[in-house]
Amino acid sequence: MAPIAVGDVVPEGTISFFDENDQLQSASVHTLAAGKKVILFGVPGAFTPTCSMQHVPGFIEKAEELKSKGVDEIICFSVNDPFVMKAWGKTYPENKHVKFVADGSGEYTQLLGLELDLKDKGLGVRSRRFALLLDNLKVTVANVESGGEFTVSSADDILKAL
């Protein structure tokens, strides 16, 4: 499948996360993003160096600025289980706006066409690093990295696009 691109409508699919009451939820991506301006940024793995020290902190640090430019939701997405994503999110006590969600089986990643085969590194099939800006489910910015790079999908890159 071709990777998601500008002009596409994000596919319907289900992701999992823990809500503010610490209850495990499964939700439709369309339900979470319909009628909203949403940043969906994906990382190859929770607790991995680039993801943990650069990608996620950038969105946490810039969250207020992103929201001031009309962003309703900022969602961090990874092919991990929801328990791992919950634990990872708790390592950022300063976080007030980034929601950590799981694509445990990688099915939604596949629908997006953004799989990254890391079997040779013992990580299985993960998500490529990316940042999408959605406006009422339509992709208006699609910054997708090659391999393990981190050059186009930062919070600053999304701010420039806004």
Side-chain angles (χ1 to χ4, degrees):
M1 179 172 187
I4 192 93
V6 171
D8 293 346
V9 171
V10 289
E12 177 59 295
T14 303
I15 53 176
S16 302
F17 58 93
F18 280 87
D19 67 17
E20 58 279 349
N21 298 316
D22 208 28
Q23 297 298 307
L24 180 60
Q25 303 291 328
S26 289
S28 144
V29 172
H30 280 203
T31 299
L32 292 174
K36 298 178 185 171
K37 189 175 281 192
V38 175
I39 296 168
L40 177 64
F41 73 99
V43 298
F47 296 105
T48 56
T50 302
C51 306
S52 295
M53 294 184 286
Q54 295 177 43
H55 207 182
V56 169
F59 279 98
I60 290 171
E61 291 164 13
K62 303 286 183 174
E64 294 288 342
E65 192 175 350
L66 290 161
K67 288 191 158 277
S68 76
K69 293 190 176 261
V71 172
D72 298 301
E73 298 273 352
I74 305 168
I75 300 172
C76 176
F77 172 92
S78 188
V79 178
N80 284 108
D81 69 69
F83 297 92
V84 168
M85 294 302 286
K86 172 185 165 185
W88 191 32
K90 287 187 176 204
T91 67
Y92 301 98
E94 69 281 15
N95 179 35
K96 293 179 180 61
H97 300 294
V98 176
K99 178 183 286 197
F100 288 75
V101 305
D103 178 24
S105 64
E107 288 177 14
Y108 195 71
T109 299
Q110 191 172 12
L111 290 173
L112 292 172
L114 296 175
E115 309 93 345
L116 178 63
D117 187 342
L118 296 174
K119 291 179 201 157
D120 62 329
K121 293 179 173 50
L123 298 172
V125 177
R126 298 296 183 110
S127 168
R128 290 169 65 181
R129 185 180 311 284
F130 67 88
L132 303 177
L133 181 60
L134 312 176
D135 192 347
N136 192 25
L137 305 175
K138 189 172 183 179
V139 178
T140 58
V141 175
N143 294 349
V144 180
E145 304 284 359
S146 296
E149 292 181 3
F150 180 52
T151 58
V152 299
S153 63
S154 71
D156 284 329
D157 293 313
I158 293 295
L159 275 168
K160 288 175 197 166
L162 289 167

